[in-house]
């Protein structure tokens, strides 16, 4: 095989591999895909211009659907692979990878059926391409894209928009700078009206990418010829025009094979008084070789940019593989080590949230600085220390004997009952801190990139963390309630000793003439109790956060996963493997990434090897 055949054959193989992996045109991203970077040939022409016949002549096989009107309704990406002499010819479709077609009439039927599967048995079109590879010793290595024929008028069964839809589809291929345009025009029509040449001129005004093909030379009116076009006088291109004589309808009806048709084509040009001087540069065989030679030169010229793209893509894929993670080891020791490393990565992020390296920990301070003080202010002490309630509590505390001097039992009962109100805000603060910690666990798991591969481990880690936080909450509940109960169990005596004593009008304190049952007396009791409650509130406002941080936040930082570590350390190899059971979607993504990486590395090595084989 020549260097040229090796280089083009390599590009064909790379394009096919790109197609299998879904790495072809139309992808989003900063870099063009490898498929888009590789040159290919798009066949463009108006309906009934002879596009299908030209393709069949190049291939040497009758395999395309035929009919009137629009026949090609989906792009056909046709890859020709030259095989060794004596090997049989066969075709393969990408959507039927395990089936080889040696009967090319079945290839035609499959193209028709696959087209109908998307468009129905209508005259609608679809931009989704059909990928067909043909292996034969009678072809040159080449990638051709057969596109729907351009048209000016929608026929019955087609929307008015189909004219623009076809043009947009064709334009999306031919406007790419790596696309070689094979512009098909019938010789029995004025070249100035050629749809293919019009579009080619718009996307390739210099004609550097355009090859002009003139069909139906044998159908021109007697006494006329197409020499002005073929010799470049009517419309000059950078590359020479090529004339083609396709099989006649009678030949098609008689099933004249393509080998015979090629021989007749050669005889036509060799014996034609108009074209015999151009015979060596006419015909479908010459066209195939011309395209193949040009394709090889384009590929060789683009090797540096293609290699650069491949290297950038390899770097991106390597980075993605690092992000997705490498495959997991199978032995239990390595699996346990992996699990512990993943736990440590999660624990590090969790602590960063608490310590301020990441957002979220400040919400715990918000509980202490906003929610707790607000809850304490809302406690119904005004209603509880109303004159009527104070009288009621003091009277009930006195029993059948009213107090003689100060209502100590009444004071104690009022204070003890009032302090019980602090239990609610204390427990609510603990719960609020608990919910913040749970949310930080959830966020930390989500932000631990290494864990994304292992949904089972994520769930187990979350469950173990929530269980530990629940234990910390229970301990914190007990502690803050103990703080409240401590305030009830022993009152601060100095507070009451410093209170001003009641004085009678003569100036003697606690004289017997003072009426101890007036509203003023009970109002003073309520005021004193309120002051004491305020003092306790300030104390608890400081001590409840200390208890919550000590019992919950501190413990979460110190021992959130301690119990989980103990449990994991006792697991067998099979159980460890279950924890490292990856998300199937992620496994598929890594597999595709690995295949694409292998493709790009292989492509780089092969392109470099072939390009240096001069």
């Amino acid at each position: 095989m020549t260097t040229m055949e090796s280089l083009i054959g390599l590009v064909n193989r790379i394009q096919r591999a790109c197609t299998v992996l879904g790495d072809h045109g139309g992808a989003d991203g900063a870099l063009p895909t490898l498929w888009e970077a590789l040159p290919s040939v798009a066949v463009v022409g108006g309906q009934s211009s002879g596009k299908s016949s030209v393709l069949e002549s190049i291939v040497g096989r009758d395999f395309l659907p035929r009919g009137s009107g629009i026949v090609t309704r989906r792009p056909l990406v046709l890859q020709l692979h030259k095989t060794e002499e004596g090997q049989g010819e066969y075709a393969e479709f990408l959507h039927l990878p395990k089936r080889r077609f040696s009967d090319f009439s079945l290839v035609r039927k499959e193209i028709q059926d696959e087209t109908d599967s998307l468009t129905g048995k209508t005259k609608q079109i679809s931009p989704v391409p059909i990928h067909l590879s043909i292996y034969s010793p009678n072809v040159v290595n080449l990638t051709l894209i057969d596109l729907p024929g351009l048209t000016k008028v929608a026929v019955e069964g087609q929307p008015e928009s189909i004219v623009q839809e076809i043009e947009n589809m064709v334009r999306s291929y031919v406007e790419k700078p790596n696309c070689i345009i094979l512009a098909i025009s019938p010789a029995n029509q004025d070249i100035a009206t050629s749809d293919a040449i019009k579009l080619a001129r718009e996307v390739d005004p210099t004609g550097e990418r355009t090859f002009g093909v003139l069909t139906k030379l044998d159908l021109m009116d007697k006494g006329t010829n197409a020499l002005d076009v073929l010799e470049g006088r009517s419309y000059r291109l950078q590359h020479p025009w090529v004339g083609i004589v396709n099989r006649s309808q009678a030949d098609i009806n008689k099933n004249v094979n393509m080998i015979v048709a090629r021989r007749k084509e050669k005889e036509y040009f060799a014996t034609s008084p108009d074209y015999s001087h151009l015979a060596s540069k006419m015909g479908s065989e010459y066209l195939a070789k011309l395209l193949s030679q040009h394709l090889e030169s384009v590929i060789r010229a683009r090797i540096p940019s293609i290699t650069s793209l491949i290297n950038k893509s390899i770097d991106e894929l390597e980075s993605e593989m690092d992000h997705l993670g490498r495959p997991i080891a199978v032995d239990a020791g390595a699996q346990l080590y992996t699990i512990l490393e993943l736990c440590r990565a999660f624990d590090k992020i969790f602590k960063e949230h608490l310590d301020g390296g990441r957002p979220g920990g400040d919400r715990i301070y918000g509980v202490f600085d906003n929610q707790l003080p607000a809850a304490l202010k809302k406690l119904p002490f005004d209603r509880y220390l109303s004159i009527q309630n104070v009288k009621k509590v003091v009277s009930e505390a006195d029993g059948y004997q009213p107090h003689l001097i100060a209502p100590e039992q009444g004071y104690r009962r009022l204070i003890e009952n009032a302090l019980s109100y602090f239990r609610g805000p204390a427990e609510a603060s603990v719960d609020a801190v608990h919910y913040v910690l749970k949310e930080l666990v959830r966020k930390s798991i989500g932000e631990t990139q290494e864990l994304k591969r292992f949904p089972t481990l994520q769930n187990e880690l979350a469950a173990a963390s929530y269980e530990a936080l629940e234990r910390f909450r229970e301990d914190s509940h007990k502690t803050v309630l103990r703080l409240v109960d401590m305030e009830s169990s022993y009152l601060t005596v100095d507070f009451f000793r410093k209170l001003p004593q009641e004085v009678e009008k003569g100036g003697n304190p606690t004289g017997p003439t003072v009426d101890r049952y007036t509203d003023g007396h009970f109002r003073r009791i309520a005021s004193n109790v309120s002051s004491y409650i305020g003092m306790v509130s300030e104390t608890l406002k400081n001590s409840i956060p200390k208890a919550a941080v000590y019992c919950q936040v501190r413990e979460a930082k110190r021992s959130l996963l301690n119990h989980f570590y103990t449990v994991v350390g006792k697991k067998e190899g099979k159980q460890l493997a279950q924890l490292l059971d990856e998300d199937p979607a992620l496994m598929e993504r890594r597999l595709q990434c690995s295949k694409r990486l292998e493709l790009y590395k292989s492509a780089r090595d092969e392109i470099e090897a072939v390009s240096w084989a001069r």
Side-chain angles (χ1 to χ4, degrees), residues 35 41-43 51-52 55 59 63-65 72-79 92-93 95 107 110-112 114-115 126-134 143-148 169 173:
W35 171 276
V41 181
V43 185
K51 284 193 304 90
S52 297
L55 283 171
V59 174
F63 68 99
L64 292 172
T72 305
R73 292 181 286 125
R74 287 176 60 181
L76 176 67
V77 179
L78 175 62
Q79 291 187 301
E92 286 182 346
F93 287 94
H95 61 275
V107 173
E110 182 58 33
I111 294 173
Q112 187 66 57
E114 182 63 14
T115 299
S126 168
V128 180
I130 297 172
H131 293 268
L132 172 64
S133 291
I134 293 179
T143 294
L144 299 160
I145 305 171
D146 186 21
L147 297 166
M169 185 195 302
Y173 282 87

Side-chain angles (χ1 to χ4, degrees), residues 30-32 305-319 597 600 604:
L31 291 173
S305 61
I306 292 172
T307 304
S308 175
L309 169 64
I310 290 174
N311 287 331
K312 288 179 182 178
S313 299
I314 287 173
D315 290 342
E316 286 188 350
L317 290 167
E318 291 278 15
S319 176
L597 183 60
Y600 276 55
R604 178 185 61 188

Side-chain angles (χ1 to χ4, degrees), residues 590-607:
R590 186 194 297 109
L591 178 63
Q592 291 301 316
C593 185
S594 176
K595 287 182 178 179
R596 192 169 284 114
L597 183 60
E598 184 181 349
L599 163 67
Y600 276 55
K601 286 182 175 179
S602 174
R604 178 185 61 188
D605 295 342
E606 290 194 56
I607 286 176

Side-chain angles (χ1 to χ4, degrees), residues 89-242:
E89 294 179 294
Y90 65 92
E92 286 182 346
F93 287 94
L94 183 65
H95 61 275
L96 297 172
K98 296 181 180 180
R99 182 178 174 188
R100 288 186 175 184
F101 292 78
S102 54
D103 183 345
F104 281 79
S105 64
L106 296 179
V107 173
R108 180 190 301 113
K109 184 178 184 303
E110 182 58 33
I111 294 173
Q112 187 66 57
D113 291 345
E114 182 63 14
T115 299
D116 292 344
S117 70
L118 281 188
T119 64
K121 294 184 180 295
T122 65
K123 296 185 182 296
Q124 302 296 320
I125 63 170
S126 168
V128 180
I130 297 172
H131 293 268
L132 172 64
S133 291
I134 293 179
Y135 300 82
S136 169
N138 303 318
V139 299
V140 294
N141 288 309
L142 203 58
T143 294
L144 299 160
I145 305 171
D146 186 21
L147 297 166
L150 298 164
T151 184
K152 294 183 174 66
V153 180
V155 299
E156 186 177 354
Q158 293 178 330
E160 290 297 325
S161 61
I162 197 167
V163 176
Q164 191 62 47
E165 288 175 10
I166 293 175
E167 182 177 331
N168 291 342
M169 185 195 302
V170 173
R171 190 181 293 272
S172 70
Y173 282 87
V174 299
E175 66 187 1
K176 291 183 172 67
N178 291 319
C179 178
I180 298 166
I181 305 168
L182 193 62
I184 310 294
S185 304
N188 56 355
Q189 293 180 14
D190 189 345
I191 195 66
T193 65
S194 169
D195 296 316
I197 292 298
K198 176 178 177 293
L199 183 59
R201 181 186 293 173
E202 292 175 7
V203 298
D204 179 33
T206 62
E208 292 179 0
R209 298 188 288 118
T210 303
F211 282 81
V213 176
L214 212 56
T215 62
K216 304 185 179 182
L217 290 167
D218 54 329
L219 300 181
M220 294 184 71
D221 293 338
K222 288 186 178 181
T224 62
N225 60 52
L227 287 176
D228 284 346
V229 176
L230 293 174
E231 294 177 346
R233 291 188 292 273
S234 292
Y235 184 76
R236 181 174 294 279
L237 296 170
Q238 297 286 339
H239 306 286
W241 283 81
V242 178

Side-chain angles (χ1 to χ4, degrees), residues 333-482:
Q335 289 175 342
L336 178 60
Y337 176 80
T338 299
I339 291 171
L340 295 179
E341 283 294 300
L342 292 168
C343 290
R344 279 190 277 271
F346 153 73
D347 195 47
K348 178 176 179 289
I349 291 175
F350 178 69
K351 288 175 180 175
E352 287 175 357
H353 277 294
L354 290 175
D355 294 335
R358 294 172 185 254
D362 57 307
R363 290 172 55 196
I364 294 175
Y365 175 71
V367 172
F368 304 143
D369 195 49
N370 299 314
Q371 294 182 38
L372 177 59
L376 293 175
K377 285 182 180 179
K378 289 180 181 178
L379 293 176
F381 292 129
D382 289 344
R383 186 173 69 251
Y384 178 72
L385 295 175
S386 66
I387 299 299
Q388 293 80 2
N389 195 57
V390 170
K391 281 182 181 181
K392 178 176 178 292
V393 173
V394 170
S395 298
E396 289 175 351
D398 283 345
Y400 72 93
Q401 286 190 341
H403 60 274
L404 298 178
I405 302 176
E408 182 171 329
Q409 293 301 319
Y411 266 111
R412 288 187 180 279
R413 187 168 295 184
L414 281 169
I415 291 171
E416 287 174 3
N417 291 345
L419 290 178
S420 67
Y421 283 111
F422 287 119
R423 298 172 71 92
E427 290 185 299
S429 297
V430 169
D431 291 340
V433 171
H434 175 75
Y435 294 131
V436 171
L437 291 172
K438 280 188 70 174
E439 176 62 17
L440 292 182
V441 165
R442 187 192 65 79
K443 286 185 67 176
S444 299
I445 289 175
E447 291 171 6
T448 307
Q449 293 297 327
E450 300 92 329
L451 273 174
K452 291 185 182 296
R453 299 169 58 185
F454 311 108
T456 302
L457 181 58
Q458 287 183 49
N459 294 336
E460 291 290 327
L461 204 53
S465 298
Y466 295 157
E467 185 180 331
L469 292 178
E470 192 61 46
R471 290 197 304 271
F472 304 154
R473 173 163 72 165
E474 289 177 8
D475 187 35
S476 190
H477 268 153
K478 292 175 183 177
T479 302
V480 297
L481 293 179
R482 211 174 273 131

Side-chain angles (χ1 to χ4, degrees), residues 575-590:
Q575 294 171 311
L576 293 173
Q578 289 174 346
L579 285 178
L580 295 175
D581 184 23
E582 293 188 82
D583 181 352
L586 197 62
M587 292 175 67
E588 178 62 25
R589 184 178 166 193
R590 186 194 297 109

